[in-house]
């Protein structure tokens, strides 16, 4: 099994948790950190594929041939790459806190937090938007489908059985 496939399965788990509707108020930082982790891991699927899974000359050549094609796919070029760059390289982005995805905010005493307070809210991932106003879940699902397609093609080219759960 490709290591990138195992990573993609982990991302699926994170997205399932992110979109879970539990209507419990939790620290807003929890939702933001889940979002950042998912975006970063979506981008690193390709890195893991190229640098871990493509360990021999034939696989490295396959990776070199595929990357230009993959980079042109709109979900990669318009969401995965620029969103990762904005979040991790420029510290811009995140979830839009004023969207319908967040319920009313509350400030609670939390001695484990700086200033001894935390901002908490309920969360509906179906309604949450990124800072550009785009719904988050459709892009997550499209990115997972994109990587699933790419990895399936690689598994077929490598003669490797697909071991994914999804």
């Amino acid at each position: 099994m490709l290591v990138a496939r195992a990573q993609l399965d982990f991302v699926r788990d994170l997205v399932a948790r992110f979109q879970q509707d539990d209507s419990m108020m939790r620290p807003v930082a929890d939702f933001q950190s889940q979002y950042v982790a998912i975006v970063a891991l979506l981008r690193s699927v390709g890195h893991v594929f190229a640098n871990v899974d493509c360990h021999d000359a034939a696989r490295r050549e396959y990776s070199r041939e595929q990357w230009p094609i993959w980079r042109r796919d709109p979900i990669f070029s318009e969401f995965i790459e620029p969103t990762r760059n904005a979040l991790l390289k420029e510290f811009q982005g995140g979830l839009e806190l004023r969207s319908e995805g967040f319920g009313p905010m509350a400030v609670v005493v939390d001695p484990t937090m700086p200033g001894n307070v935390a901002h908490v809210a309920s969360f509906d991932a179906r309604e949450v938007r990124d800072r550009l106003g785009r719904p988050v879940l459709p892009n997550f699902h499209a990115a997972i489908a994109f990587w699933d397609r790419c990895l399936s093609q690689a598994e077929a080219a490598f003669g490797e059985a697909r071991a994914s759960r999804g």
Side-chain angles (χ1 to χ4, degrees):
M1 179 168 144
L2 296 174
V3 176
R5 172 68 67 194
Q7 182 177 354
L8 184 60
D9 287 342
F10 178 62
V11 172
R12 274 193 184 94
D13 290 346
L14 292 177
V15 170
R17 176 70 183 125
F18 183 79
Q19 69 187 21
Q20 190 174 26
D21 185 13
D22 60 13
S23 64
M24 295 292 296
M25 293 185 88
R26 292 189 307 177
V28 172
D30 288 0
F31 303 118
Q32 292 282 15
S33 61
Q34 284 179 299
Y35 175 74
V36 171
I38 291 166
V39 169
L41 288 169
L42 280 169
R43 175 56 185 90
S44 70
V45 168
H47 180 83
V48 169
F49 174 76
N51 294 293
V52 177
D53 291 320
C54 294
H55 46 75
D56 63 40
R59 287 184 177 206
R60 281 192 300 275
E61 180 60 27
Y62 178 87
S63 177
R64 277 193 296 275
E65 290 172 359
Q66 293 306 304
W67 263 109
I69 297 165
W70 293 349
R71 285 182 184 276
R72 287 191 304 266
D73 192 286
I75 194 63
F76 187 89
S77 63
E78 296 171 17
F79 173 69
I80 296 171
E81 184 85 7
T83 305
R84 185 280 313 254
N85 289 347
L87 287 169
L88 300 181
K89 293 183 174 184
E90 302 164 11
F91 198 64
Q92 297 177 7
L95 299 175
E96 178 53 56
L97 300 179
R98 292 179 302 275
S99 74
E100 296 295 317
F102 288 96
M105 297 264 186
V107 178
V108 296
V109 174
D110 183 348
T112 66
M113 295 298 294
N116 297 319
V117 298
H119 295 87
V120 298
S122 59
F123 181 73
D124 182 352
R126 296 168 302 198
E127 299 296 329
V128 76
R129 308 240 182 254
D130 66 16
R131 296 223 183 230
L132 298 176
R134 300 177 300 197
V136 169
L137 285 181
N139 281 329
F140 282 173
H141 293 295
I144 289 169
F146 163 76
W147 282 124
D148 185 59
R149 200 170 49 253
C150 295
L151 296 179
S152 292
Q153 292 167 354
E155 288 159 341
F158 299 164
E160 197 165 309
R162 178 185 169 143
S164 173
R165 303 169 303 186

